[in-house]
Amino acid sequence: MKMKNKKVLLFGRTGQLGWELNRTLAPFGEVYALGPGDLDLVDIDALIRTIHSVQPELIINASAYTAVDRAEREPELAMLLNEKVPMVMAEEARTLHAPFIHYSTDYVFDGTKTSAYTEDDTTNPLNVYGQSKLKGEQAIGQVGGAHVILRTSWVYSLRGDGFVSKVLSWARKQETLKIVTDQVGSPTWARMLAEATSAMAARSLSDSWGYFSEKGGVYHLGGAGSVSRFDFTRAILDLDPHPEEQKVKGLETTLTADFPTPALRPLTTTLDCSRFTRVFGLILPNWKDALRLAMEDR
Ligand SMILES: NC(=O)c1ccc[n+]([C@@H]2O[C@H](COP(=O)([O-])OP(=O)(O)OC[C@H]3O[C@@H](n4cnc5c(N)ncnc54)[C@H](OP(=O)(O)O)[C@@H]3O)[C@@H](O)[C@H]2O)c1
């Protein structure tokens, strides 16, 4: 079988996931990785010009408007970046006969289901961010082409200021941390999500358009298992490689209702990822095993 290197265009280079993808995609050949300093995605004409000038054979979008609370007061910007931009990327990808890989969120659900959500469950986002991501999914679906949408959840990285970094930082400043017990989800290490995305894409190398035309659609892909925010926090503190730096003496339980935020959060959003495993033969490790590995980087 004759193989050649792929030209991959990656958006969201500076984000938690995009940072990792920029590394895990390297073996594909030429990776054109763009962040906000290279291209402001609100400029749709510039986005189209960029895609035309790169002529990628695969487009991966790890960019998004992810400020969940701010989205409540900036709904137009959230919709532009989470609906219109991915739609345009999907259209341009279709024109170039290039598959399009995009990410969505567990926040498309309302969090009232007591067992894990499958891809066939009814969506009902509770906030603007979730609505904008769902509209993005729908817009990509309408464009058609060869696309994969990976719905993921509770993404963290030890770079940046995601939840894990925040807990480690709070633990060094405060004696008590108050954490909610009633939000339950599947924490996902950005590096593992990037590795799984790249392994999935690698399976398509000989005919990626045909491969993703056949296998495309919406998939759930988060860390295996589920945990409450409270128990996740306890695990982060337990696995902290520098516990001697911690000031924290105790964790206190609280409830989401006691912490009003501009955006409502869904409570239980465990993802059933078995469809992804069935179709692509890949699986993300249990959230705690991944967290242990992530902490070894600190
Ligand atoms: N984080 C989570 O817990 C979570 C959960 C479920 C699903 N997801 C989804 O997973 C994907 C990756 O999330 P993430 O956590 O890696 O997000 P992230 O860290 O917030 O990264 C998003 C990227 O998009 C860029 N971006 C935002 N607006 C832009 C603009 N106008 N022009 C150019 N670039 C722009 C950001 O630039 P800046 O660096 O300037 O911000 C950043 O590089 C997203 O689709 C997200 O919706 C995330």
Side-chain angles (χ1 to χ4, degrees):
M1 183 171 32
K2 197 165 180 305
M3 296 281 229
K4 72 175 189 63
N5 288 345
K6 289 265 168 208
K7 228 188 223 188
V8 182
L9 180 54
L10 168 68
F11 295 101
R13 178 175 67 82
T14 56
Q16 299 192 97
L17 175 60
W19 178 270
E20 300 292 348
L21 280 167
N22 197 15
R23 283 145 184 78
T24 60
L25 291 169
F28 280 73
E30 291 170 80
V31 180
Y32 296 77
L34 303 181
D38 311 303
L39 171 68
D40 183 351
L41 291 167
V42 302
D43 185 345
I44 299 290
D45 291 338
L47 168 62
I48 294 172
R49 276 199 308 277
T50 301
I51 296 175
H52 284 191
S53 78
V54 174
Q55 295 277 308
E57 296 158 279
L58 173 65
I59 300 181
I60 304 188
N61 180 30
S63 78
Y65 182 106
T66 54
V68 176
D69 286 319
R70 192 150 34 94
E72 297 297 311
R73 52 185 162 83
E74 291 183 339
E76 291 85 8
L77 185 58
M79 290 295 170
L80 176 62
L81 287 163
N82 291 345
E83 180 187 15
K84 177 87 189 275
V85 163
M87 183 191 80
V88 170
M89 290 176 182
E91 285 170 346
E92 297 308 310
R94 187 190 54 190
T95 305
L96 293 171
H97 230 59
F100 179 50
I101 299 175
H102 176 74
Y103 298 87
S104 189
T105 172
D106 54 331
Y107 278 23
V108 297
F109 297 114
D110 62 17
T112 54
K113 193 179 174 195
T114 47
S115 55
Y117 280 100
T118 72
E119 292 82 350
D120 298 326
D121 281 320
T122 307
T123 53
N124 182 29
L126 299 180
N127 56 44
V128 169
Y129 167 73
Q131 286 155 12
S132 68
K133 294 294 292 184
L134 179 59
K135 281 184 176 281
E137 289 184 9
Q138 292 163 343
I140 294 166
Q142 275 161 16
V143 170
H147 65 265
V148 173
I149 297 169
L150 301 173
R151 275 189 198 143
T152 188
S153 61
W154 292 26
V155 177
Y156 68 89
S157 139
L158 295 190
R159 300 179 65 255
D161 64 348
F163 186 72
V164 174
S165 305
K166 276 190 183 133
V167 167
L168 292 172
S169 160
W170 294 333
R172 280 153 176 73
K173 293 183 196 136
Q174 295 166 219
E175 294 209 338
T176 309
L177 303 185
K178 254 188 173 181
I179 307 289
V180 298
T181 50
D182 57 348
Q183 286 179 30
V184 176
S186 309
T188 306
W189 184 23
R191 181 165 316 160
M192 292 294 173
L193 183 56
E195 298 273 12
T197 302
S198 300
M200 172 189 72
R203 279 163 166 53
S204 76
L205 278 181
S206 58
D207 170 22
S208 50
W209 180 264
Y211 184 83
F212 286 118
S213 295
E214 187 201 328
K215 298 186 189 297
V218 175
Y219 291 90
H220 289 177
L221 184 59
S226 67
V227 65
S228 70
R229 280 271 174 212
F230 184 86
D231 288 334
F232 186 36
T233 303
R234 193 157 39 199
I236 294 166
L237 297 180
D238 287 348
L239 293 170
D240 181 351
H242 300 292
E244 72 285 357
E245 294 175 2
Q246 291 183 14
K247 270 205 176 76
V248 70
K249 296 199 167 46
L251 281 184
E252 277 179 23
T253 61
T254 184
L255 294 173
T256 303
D258 296 329
F259 267 105
T261 49
L264 285 177
R265 260 97 176 145
L267 291 185
T268 303
T269 58
T270 309
L271 297 178
D272 176 335
C273 304
S274 54
R275 181 181 287 176
F276 183 85
T277 300
R278 224 171 26 250
V279 173
F280 297 110
L282 295 162
I283 189 164
L284 290 193
N286 174 271
W287 68 267
K288 196 165 187 180
D289 295 333
L291 179 64
R292 193 172 285 113
L293 290 174
M295 287 298 197
E296 286 180 5
D297 267 7
R298 262 184 77 82

